[in-house]
Amino acid sequence: ETGVTQSPTHLIKTRGQQVTLRCSSQSGHNTVSWYQQALGQGPQFIFQYYREEENGRGNFPPRFSGLQFPNYSSELNVNALELDDSALYLCASSLGDEGEQYFGPGTRLTVT
Amino acid sequence: KNQVEQSPQSLIILEGKNCTLQCNYTVSPFSNLRWYKQDTGRGPVSLTIMTFSENTKSNGRYTATLDADTKQSSLHITASQLSDSASYICVVSASSFSGGYNKLIFGAGTRLAVHP
């Protein structure tokens, strides 16, 4: 176990709804990165938060947004859900943006 | 365009046999290369990490190699076990010119199945 936890484990939403996924980072880590992994594909970088500020973003539309809290836990919010948003969402925590990333178990999101 | 390509896409081997997975990348500027193991429906777990100056690194039965000139890496698994059945993902880190975050570029992974 990496010490990174995510909730919920599974989630089913309908198209157009909004969803919030949560991640608790490993103790001592101040950086959280979020990834989207479609079935049979490698993870795609969504964004990274370092000390409560967005520190980099991948090719995802603005309806994907996030937050990092003072305790370095993080949220991923997705608005106006689309069918293609169905995926495993992974978060990874690290000490600094160049530190080794430790992944959580993921949240499986299904959009119907 | 920064890309990481892995081969084969999938592989079936018998328990006890060895295998080698390949990774080719076009990522610049290169920072480091990592191999992860991902069990189905779980988060990836780091196996090895290599910087530009490292040619090989081992972690138990896993040995990774890196040729920075040809931009190729391999992961060799020795004496495979049933628990080695998983996806193996090659990840290359690209440094940001202006500092800040290290962007990770993931390959699609190789699905390894070890049969008794």
Side-chain angles (χ1 to χ4, degrees), chain A residues 24-106:
Chain A
S24 292
S25 58
Q26 187 175 103
S27 177
H29 286 181
N30 56 14
T31 304
V32 173
S33 303
W34 284 93
Y35 298 88
Q36 180 194 67
Q37 186 176 23
L39 201 61
Q41 300 294 318
Q44 298 293 314
F45 175 72
I46 303 175
F47 44 56
Q48 182 183 83
Y49 278 84
Y50 172 66
R51 292 187 173 183
E52 302 180 57
E53 291 195 4
E54 188 177 291
N55 190 41
R57 188 179 184 93
N59 295 324
F60 280 82
R63 59 189 184 85
F64 285 78
S65 63
L67 283 173
Q68 188 178 33
F69 300 99
N71 66 355
Y72 303 128
S73 65
S74 177
E75 285 183 355
L76 164 65
N77 298 292
V78 187
N79 294 323
L81 284 167
E82 301 176 359
L83 297 179
D84 285 348
D85 295 334
S86 295
L88 180 69
Y89 287 85
L90 297 164
C91 80
S93 76
S94 59
L95 182 58
D97 65 295
E98 296 199 17
E100 181 66 34
Q101 294 196 7
Y102 294 86
F103 285 84

